[in-house]
Amino acid sequence: MRQLNRDPAPPACLLKYSHGQDRWSQVTGPEKADIWIKLDAMQGGRCAYCEADLGSGKHIEHFRQQGRHPQGTFKWDNLFGSCNRPDSCGKHKDQCGPYPPADLIKPDVDDPEHFLVFAATGTVHVRQNLSAAEQHRASETIRIFNLNSASLKQTRRVLLMQYLESAETFAEMAIESGDAAVIPLLQEELENISALPFTTAIRHILMK
């Protein structure tokens, strides 16, 4: 999960719908395509929660569930693009019982990296030295979106193995030549991975 910058202007098609009068099922295919244009601009074609490449396996996700917060059905700031993994992200969230939405990290409002850190095993952890309230939000975000599902951990672990050698090389160079020699190379590598799936996890390994 990474921080996202949302265009405050909603897709024009959403303005024609109103809670209590219309249903989400009335949104047409072309209108959903327009919504996806805005979501992709914000998310770079990656899941808002796990950062996997969306490709064709995706759905428009209501951050606050329609069943418990119907007034947010057509609210632009309540919509994200999620992958279709059945055991994580948006689909898993909608199978969970009641929970306060404010307990979750909202990536277009909060900086998830303040709360979460990735390990080389592919596991995401609650960061240390957080307040009790922040620890709760981090752990609830991991639980509700099931960001440590077996499939996600395995996918991340396999990917991160490709970058462990680079991380070790950077660490050795820093010891031998100082940070000044490493910083330009590290910045170049971070730019190279910026558009990849699971970028945050890769960055955490490279900068460890």
Side-chain angles (χ1 to χ4, degrees):
M1 186 179 281
R2 70 197 192 285
Q3 190 165 29
L4 303 173
N5 295 315
R6 184 186 296 272
D7 183 344
C13 62
L14 288 177
L15 302 177
K16 64 183 281 190
Y17 295 102
S18 300
H19 159 62
Q21 176 179 321
D22 303 302
R23 299 183 305 277
W24 181 254
S25 60
Q26 294 174 250
V27 180
T28 67
E31 289 171 337
K32 288 182 178 178
D34 288 341
I35 295 171
W36 271 114
I37 290 173
K38 301 276 282 192
L39 290 173
D40 284 336
M42 175 173 66
Q43 299 176 205
R46 287 172 281 169
C47 177
Y49 307 125
C50 74
E51 295 187 56
D53 185 5
L54 285 174
S56 58
K58 61 185 182 181
H59 70 280
I60 296 174
E61 146 76 8
H62 290 80
F63 185 80
R64 299 186 69 174
Q65 298 155 312
Q66 291 185 68
R68 299 191 178 100
H69 185 67
Q71 59 268 42
T73 299
F74 304 106
K75 296 293 187 183
W76 168 229
D77 64 359
N78 193 43
L79 302 183
F80 289 99
S82 176
C83 64
N84 273 336
R85 292 174 184 267
D87 59 345
S88 67
C89 303
K91 288 189 176 296
H92 185 272
K93 173 182 69 66
D94 289 340
Q95 297 169 13
C96 293
Y99 59 86
D103 282 357
L104 300 183
I105 299 166
K106 192 168 186 285
D108 64 331
V109 174
D110 305 300
D111 182 359
E113 291 196 70
H114 175 75
F115 298 87
L116 308 173
V117 63
F118 289 89
T121 57
T123 306
V124 59
H125 300 280
V126 176
R127 276 199 184 273
Q128 296 181 351
N129 302 319
L130 297 178
S131 68
E134 290 173 330
Q135 289 178 27
H136 177 71
R137 292 187 67 200
S139 61
E140 278 295 273
T141 297
I142 293 172
R143 180 181 74 86
I144 295 296
F145 293 115
N146 201 18
L147 297 180
N148 278 327
S149 71
S151 62
L152 274 177
K153 286 196 295 185
Q154 173 66 7
T155 300
R156 288 192 297 246
R157 186 184 68 81
V158 171
L159 175 66
L160 294 177
M161 287 179 63
Q162 304 174 37
Y163 293 92
L164 286 174
E165 184 176 348
S166 295
E168 293 169 358
T169 299
F170 289 143
E172 291 171 0
M173 288 182 62
I175 293 173
E176 295 174 0
S177 306
D179 291 341
V182 176
I183 289 174
L185 298 176
L186 178 58
Q187 289 177 334
E188 180 180 359
E189 186 73 347
L190 293 176
E191 290 176 5
N192 290 339
I193 67 164
S194 62
L196 294 179
F198 307 108
T199 301
T200 304
I202 299 171
R203 187 170 64 252
H204 287 186
I205 296 306
L206 291 173
M207 298 183 68
K208 190 171 182 180

